[in-house]
Amino acid sequence: MDTKTLRVEIKDESQGLVKAVFSTFNAIDSDRDVTRPGAFTDGVEVPISAYGHTSWSGVLPVGKATIRQTAKQAILEGRFFMDTQAGKDTFLTVKELGELGQWSYGYDPVEYSYGEFDGQHVRFLDAVKVHEVSPVLVGAGVGTRTLAAKSAVPGTGGKAGRPVAPHECETTSRSWDGAKTLAALGDDLRPSELRTVFAWQDAGADPELKSSYQLAHHHGVGGPANVRACLMGIARLNDGKAAIPDADRKAVYDHLAAHLRDADIEPPELKEAPGGSLKYAEEGHAVMAAVSAFVDRTAEVVALRAAKGRGMAPRSAELLEWLDADLKRLQALLSMPTGPEDPSDSDIASLFARSVAQLQNL
């Protein structure tokens, strides 16, 4: 989802009426989106969410608004519920903040495409379905930073998704250390910088936190895309471990697949729904992702216990020994000479799967 800056005008204080420009057409916003003229449905009524889109999590709406369009912009004409305390308080806050306060809107993209605009690779929004508008601290219009969600996806418990548009960059096949990559990012990056590292953002969470993003696959801000990380990301989409909303899976897949094609690698297909049977290579990618995530988790546990002057718990240490033994068995299988006695691909995949099953029982 995107957030867009709104310019607010108080029309009638006694009735809680506001008017605001919430989208400028044919302009690139900070998420590399370009909204086309006519993308909105003129005259549609939508709720005004409680502050910061919190009505997605069950807080009562504080008003309602009607969307209007001109040739250059989209406008909302809204009314707060002044006979409710929440509606009155929100209106007075919006009024007092004035130019310091902004708004955003929650929507599902109905029709969109990718292409070039002013020399940049962007997503064109040709038709959107707006679910709500909301006052926020900062919207995601041109030149601003995002601090709120665009919309929620049905069936995801209100999780708001913002896939990162595909973009051209260098690719690399070198080793991938997810934990090291995230640690090297630091804690003072802008959302626009973080989005150059990840494929998806939870738009309902704080966009300045790395934990609000998923599927890291770049070596640093603006760095090359990692082939292994892209393959593991697609595996997470297919096995459902990435927790990406269904409506965002295809866009996230397109991003990761584009990097693989740039590296002359045909990407695995995206499954219609997460789960189900996987081909040998797909299962291997899923196992690689699971092992990589577990190694990152193990590094965290080791560091935390070391800070307390403690080593690995005996049960955990034993499990790591089991994993090491299975990986050594795999290495032995791979080094066997070719011949009719060789284990099949499915045997090796099953060996990987058993190793992951042991890890998950930790």
Side-chain angles (χ1 to χ4, degrees):
M1 297 187 302
D2 289 326
T3 54
K4 312 301 182 187
T5 304
L6 291 160
R7 187 170 65 251
V8 179
E9 175 185 354
I10 304 300
K11 299 295 291 183
D12 189 316
E13 184 172 347
S14 63
Q15 297 185 55
L17 300 182
V18 297
K19 183 177 181 180
V21 174
F22 69 92
S23 181
T24 300
F25 301 139
N26 291 328
I28 303 176
D29 67 25
S30 59
D31 298 321
R32 293 186 182 177
D33 282 345
V34 175
T35 305
R36 303 276 204 184
F40 301 91
T41 301
D42 197 80
V44 69
E45 284 193 328
V46 294
I48 298 177
S49 169
Y51 206 90
H53 296 279
T54 50
S55 289
W56 285 110
S57 58
V59 181
L60 291 175
V62 295
K64 63 181 180 180
T66 301
I67 293 176
R68 305 295 183 190
Q69 295 187 93
T70 68
K72 297 182 178 180
Q73 58 196 19
I75 299 170
L76 76 80
E77 297 176 347
R79 179 178 66 83
F80 285 89
F81 299 147
M82 300 297 282
D83 52 349
T84 68
Q85 192 61 47
K88 183 177 180 179
D89 289 346
T90 307
F91 173 78
L92 292 176
T93 299
V94 169
K95 174 178 177 292
E96 292 300 323
L97 282 174
E99 293 297 322
L100 292 177
Q102 297 178 11
W103 291 57
S104 69
Y105 59 95
Y107 70 86
D108 289 330
V110 177
E111 296 179 11
Y112 63 93
S113 60
Y114 294 101
E116 297 293 325
F117 187 91
D118 285 348
Q120 297 188 47
H121 191 77
V122 302
R123 180 177 68 164
F124 293 103
L125 296 174
D126 298 301
V128 298
K129 181 179 181 180
V130 178
H131 295 291
E132 51 81 31
V133 294
S134 175
V136 296
L137 288 179
V138 182
V142 176
T144 69
R145 293 191 297 164
T146 304
L147 291 179
K150 276 186 185 175
S151 65
V153 180
T156 63
K159 184 180 286 294
R162 298 180 60 195
V164 178
H167 54 92
E168 294 183 2
C169 69
E170 295 183 2
T171 59
T172 178
S173 298
R174 69 175 186 260
S175 62
W176 173 258
D177 187 332
K180 184 177 180 180
T181 297
L182 296 183
L185 289 178
D187 298 313
D188 58 351
L189 296 177
R190 293 168 59 93
S192 58
E193 294 174 314
L194 287 170
R195 285 169 64 84
T196 68
V197 179
F198 299 83
W200 185 84
Q201 176 190 349
D202 180 351
D206 188 339
E208 296 187 349
L209 297 179
K210 290 179 286 187
S211 59
S212 300
Y213 300 79
Q214 285 196 52
L215 302 183
H217 58 284
H218 283 267
H219 290 276
V221 174
N226 186 278
V227 167
R228 300 187 197 184
C230 291
L231 289 170
M232 289 190 290
I234 292 176
R236 300 290 76 173
L237 291 174
N238 282 333
D239 65 16
K241 297 298 192 303
I244 300 294
D246 289 345
D248 293 341
R249 290 179 69 244
K250 181 60 166 59
V252 172
Y253 170 82
D254 288 344
H255 181 142
L256 298 173
H259 286 315
L260 292 174
R261 293 191 180 98
D262 286 343
D264 295 324
I265 296 174
E266 184 60 29
E269 65 179 9
L270 176 67
K271 303 299 181 183
E272 187 172 339
S277 61
L278 299 175
K279 296 178 181 178
Y280 168 68
E282 294 169 343
E283 186 174 3
H285 297 152
V287 170
M288 183 168 61
V291 171
S292 178
F294 185 76
V295 171
D296 290 344
R297 174 61 176 149
T298 300
E300 293 177 2
V301 171
V302 169
L304 288 173
R305 295 183 69 86
K308 298 179 180 179
R310 302 163 63 184
M312 187 67 88
R315 179 177 173 82
S316 298
E318 182 182 40
L319 180 58
L320 294 177
E321 290 175 359
W322 293 344
L323 174 61
D324 182 58
D326 264 353
L327 292 177
K328 287 177 179 177
R329 284 207 301 137
L330 174 63
Q331 183 61 43
L333 290 171
L334 294 176
S335 63
M336 290 177 64
T338 59
E341 301 298 324
D342 284 355
S344 67
D345 284 351
S346 60
D347 291 335
I348 297 176
S350 296
L351 172 62
F352 267 126
R354 288 196 300 274
S355 298
V356 173
Q358 289 178 322
L359 294 177
Q360 293 174 335
N361 289 327
L362 177 62

